[in-house]
Amino acid sequence: MSTGAQFETLDYEIADGIATVTISRPEVRNALNRAVLADLRGVLAAARDDDSVGAVVFTGAGEKAFVAGADISQLVKHNLHTGLESQMQRTFDELESFEKPTIAAVNGFALGGGCELAMSCDIRIASASARFGLPETTLGIIPGAGGTQRLGRLVGVGRAIELVLTGRLVGADEALRIGLVTSVVEPEDLLAEARSTAETILTKGPLAVRLAKIVIRSGLDADRTTGQVVERLAQSLLYTTQDKAEGTTAFIEKRVAQFGGH
């Protein structure tokens, strides 16, 4: 296992093609502040430039929280200019558009910015003890790091409005039922499940995985005809690749495909 790059507020480890990013501020339930956001951008850059990394798992230190929202000691100082600068929203946009697969392993509270961080990942796996929520209206503000947009796309507009306006928390089972997460496991199995999911993805054609992310996400904001045109173009490109040749040949020869890299 490699420790990878070093960060002030995150632990970053690489093993078998999977980078694990642990937000490590357990004394404040891993709350997000400017230093964490800067480190998140740094870790994305490090993982993007590292050919040994094929997928990234995000989790939080300790058992109580994934990320329990923004750091309120900084939030009370936010003003018009802070809102327009929107470092958290920009960071999560970068995470959502990250080229390699991302998985949130949610262990405990994922509130406010923590929920928004999880929603920015491609896949969300929850511990049975996880709780999700966007309680910003309690503070007289709204979710401002993409939460008002991503939540509705995951759980439907009506449910998203109810959750944002009430600020109520959602347990792991309800999160699974409404589509906020893809699976729920016991706390002791969380990271193993996240790694297993990442390992499965890493057995697939890396170019297909990358283009599938692009096509799915770009299609969400387009009409179906446009989305299918993008899909057709991506498929046409993949038909020309060594990945496609290897994948189809391996299937015919009844062997495991050996793709060239992440």
Side-chain angles (χ1 to χ4, degrees):
M1 177 179 291
S2 167
T3 56
Q6 300 296 310
F7 299 94
E8 178 186 351
T9 65
L10 310 175
D11 295 327
Y12 181 58
E13 297 179 338
I14 303 168
D16 302 321
I18 303 167
T20 301
V21 178
T22 304
I23 299 170
S24 187
R25 301 183 72 215
E27 70 282 0
V28 288
R29 295 192 175 185
N30 305 321
L32 299 171
N33 61 13
R34 285 184 174 271
V36 177
L37 294 174
D39 280 351
L40 283 171
R41 292 190 294 273
V43 88
L44 290 173
R48 180 183 295 112
D49 295 338
D50 190 339
D51 291 339
S52 73
V53 174
V56 184
V57 173
F58 292 86
T59 194
E63 299 178 357
K64 293 182 178 180
F66 172 70
V67 170
D71 191 324
I72 304 299
S73 67
Q74 287 192 356
L75 183 60
V76 296
K77 301 175 184 177
H78 287 185
N79 56 31
L80 173 64
H81 300 288
T82 313
L84 292 174
E85 182 184 38
S86 194
Q87 286 298 314
M88 192 179 298
Q89 186 188 88
R90 294 173 190 271
T91 300
F92 294 168
D93 284 349
E94 186 176 342
L95 171 57
E96 184 178 57
S97 63
F98 188 65
E99 296 89 344
K100 300 174 184 181
T102 56
I103 300 171
V106 182
N107 52 313
F109 288 103
L111 307 181
C115 187
E116 290 172 306
L117 169 60
M119 290 191 293
S120 301
C121 292
D122 298 319
I123 297 170
R124 285 155 296 285
I125 300 172
S127 158
S129 62
R131 299 185 74 189
F132 299 82
L134 294 171
E136 282 88 344
T137 53
T138 304
L139 302 174
I141 58 176
I142 63 172
T148 62
Q149 305 305 303
R150 292 189 178 98
L151 184 61
R153 285 166 167 77
L154 289 169
V155 307
V157 173
R159 199 180 301 276
I161 290 174
E162 182 260 327
L163 290 174
V164 171
L165 297 192
T166 65
R168 74 177 179 88
L169 304 191
V170 171
D173 288 341
E174 183 179 357
L176 178 62
R177 178 171 56 81
I178 65 178
L180 184 54
V181 301
T182 54
S183 60
V184 176
V185 298
E186 292 304 311
E188 62 271 20
D189 298 326
L190 179 62
L191 281 178
E193 181 67 17
R195 288 189 59 84
S196 176
T197 300
E199 288 165 356
T200 298
I201 295 171
L202 292 183
T203 67
K204 311 306 179 186
L207 290 174
V209 168
R210 183 171 179 177
L211 281 172
K213 283 187 54 169
I214 293 172
V215 171
I216 292 169
R217 292 201 180 279
S218 62
L220 288 173
D221 295 318
D223 61 87
R224 192 180 70 173
T225 299
T226 302
Q228 289 184 184
V229 169
V230 175
E231 177 186 82
R232 188 159 67 245
L233 293 172
Q235 186 75 303
S236 299
L237 177 60
L238 288 168
Y239 281 163
T240 70
T241 65
Q242 182 58 39
D243 279 4
K244 175 261 185 182
E246 169 61 14
T248 53
T249 301
F251 182 85
I252 292 170
E253 295 177 352
K254 296 182 171 57
R255 61 176 174 81
V256 177
Q258 301 296 316
F259 294 109
H262 304 308

